[in-house]
Amino acid sequence: IQYYCSGETSWVWFTSDTRMGCPMTGGSSGGPWYASLTDDHVGMIYAVTSRGGKNIFGTPYLITTPDGNDVYDLYNSANT
C-alpha cells in the first residue's frame, strides 16, 4: 500500500525549509514533494522529504528543503 499526504505547505521560520502536516514519519525520507501533477503518476518534483517532527500541540509534520538551481541545472543537462 502506498501512502501519501497532501495539503497546504508553509515556510519554516528563519530557514529555507518547507513544512506540511502529515502523520507519516519513519521511512518517509526521500519521498517526493510535487509542485504540480499532470496526472496521477507524473509531476514536477520540487523537493524530497528530509525529516519530520511535531508542533507544540503534538501534530506531526514533514520538512523538506526545496531543490535549488543546481538540481534543475543537473536535470536539464541530463536531458540534453
Side-chain angles (χ1 to χ4, degrees):
I1 297 174
Q2 185 166 350
Y3 297 96
Y4 69 93
C5 294
S6 64
E8 297 290 318
T9 61
S10 60
W11 291 105
V12 178
W13 287 81
F14 305 109
T15 73
S16 59
D17 295 339
T18 304
R19 171 174 52 196
M20 178 175 60
C22 180
M24 295 184 342
T25 54
S28 59
S29 295
W33 288 45
Y34 292 98
S36 61
L37 293 172
T38 55
D39 64 35
D40 287 343
H41 305 287
V42 178
M44 174 63 85
I45 297 172
Y46 79 95
V48 295
T49 301
S50 61
R51 59 199 183 282
K54 292 184 180 181
N55 66 17
I56 60 172
F57 304 107
T59 306
Y61 58 83
L62 296 176
I63 296 177
T64 186
T65 302
D67 295 333
N69 288 337
D70 53 339
V71 174
Y72 295 112
D73 292 343
L74 176 64
Y75 174 80
N76 289 329
S77 68
N79 281 322
T80 57

